Amino acid sequence: MAAREDVLAAYGIPVIPDPADAASRKRRAILDAALAEFLAEGYAAASMDAITARSGVSKATIYKHFGSKERLFLAVVGGVLPKTYADLEPADSALAAAPDLRAALVRLTTDWARILLRPDIMSLRRLVIGEIDRFPQLGRLWCRVSHDTNNGPLVEAVTELDARGVLDVPDPELAVRQLVAATVGVPQLVRTFSPEAEIDDAELERTIGSGVDLFLARYGTARDAREKRNR
């Protein structure tokens, strides 16, 4: 809990404790109601009166706990972002030891895509994008959470694969960004700006498989390329 609080505090985002007593339960009701209102209306159009009605807590109590609509928004979105990828298994040394690297990468990025395409996460993504100019700290926090949970462990795995000669990756950070863009990033971009777009299993499989193949075509087993580069 302390580590999460340190991350949020670093971005100037209010840290709200988990509910443990009556006051905390009221805060939880306010946060849940505010999230629903902000997701439905965005920051500017969201109404404190509507949040009051949704939460069943008085407006005076809301202002007592959060001080302002701005602080409430930061607390709500900042509190949800660190939990965004909670259901995703991070890429670690298990990926580096996979007997079939292509299959492991396809499975990893497909699982990742299915989580990111969930309606609740896509709605949160659009909300943060829409308010990025007003609240840039939320964008920075999203990048931090994404890296710590997803890209960072994948960079470690790719670095290990490079050291073992399974991949030839001069720049693991860049290679991982390219892999994510060519796999997860494609359906995510479509769904971000076209919420009604249908991405069925066949389309997702085709996109992910093609992206992984592109990655492996560039960085796949290339001992000869490594030797040439080192001459």
Side-chain angles (χ1 to χ4, degrees):
M1 182 65 172
R4 171 174 166 262
E5 291 182 357
D6 290 343
V7 169
L8 294 178
Y11 289 93
I13 294 170
V15 178
I16 307 303
D18 292 330
D21 53 31
S24 293
R25 286 194 293 274
K26 284 185 179 180
R27 284 196 294 271
R28 183 74 267 159
I30 296 167
L31 290 168
D32 290 343
L35 179 60
E37 177 69 8
F38 287 132
L39 287 174
E41 303 295 338
Y43 175 78
S47 162
M48 293 297 279
D49 288 333
I51 293 172
T52 298
R54 285 178 184 268
S55 67
V57 178
S58 72
K59 187 183 293 187
T61 299
I62 294 177
Y63 279 105
K64 176 182 176 182
H65 282 289
F66 296 97
S68 67
K69 178 181 172 182
E70 178 178 322
R71 280 181 55 82
L72 176 58
F73 182 78
L74 285 170
V76 168
V77 181
V80 171
L81 282 181
K83 305 171 185 176
T84 303
Y85 305 115
D87 296 333
L88 184 67
E89 291 293 331
D92 53 19
S93 57
L95 179 64
D100 185 334
L101 179 57
R102 182 187 186 278
L105 286 171
V106 167
R107 182 169 57 253
L108 173 72
T109 50
T110 299
D111 290 345
W112 191 345
R114 291 190 190 284
I115 289 173
L116 293 184
L117 293 177
R118 280 182 1 208
D120 59 326
I121 294 180
M122 291 306 306
S123 294
L124 185 64
R125 177 181 174 83
R126 292 187 204 99
L127 178 62
V128 171
I129 290 173
E131 302 296 342
I132 200 72
D133 290 335
R134 194 194 311 262
F135 300 106
Q137 62 268 55
L138 292 177
R140 293 192 292 269
L141 176 59
W142 192 305
C143 287
R144 167 73 180 271
V145 170
S146 180
H147 181 272
D148 289 352
T149 308
N150 305 321
N151 288 41
L154 189 51
V155 168
E156 293 179 7
V158 167
T159 300
E160 182 177 342
L161 288 164
D162 175 77
R164 289 171 43 202
V166 178
L167 296 176
D168 182 43
V169 188
D171 187 340
E173 288 274 1
L174 174 61
V176 166
R177 289 198 297 269
Q178 291 169 335
L179 173 63
V180 172
T183 55
V184 176
V186 176
Q188 183 186 56
L189 183 63
V190 171
R191 188 64 65 77
T192 296
F193 298 105
S194 297
E196 74 288 349
E198 291 292 334
I199 303 175
D200 58 24
D201 289 344
E203 177 63 16
L204 187 62
E205 180 180 345
R206 186 176 73 87
T207 300
I208 295 291
S210 178
V212 169
D213 288 340
L214 187 65
F215 173 82
L216 292 176
R218 169 62 180 87
Y219 298 111
T221 51
R223 295 178 187 274
D224 291 341
R226 180 194 298 272
E227 291 172 0
K228 290 177 182 177
R229 193 175 73 228
N230 292 334
R231 285 175 186 169

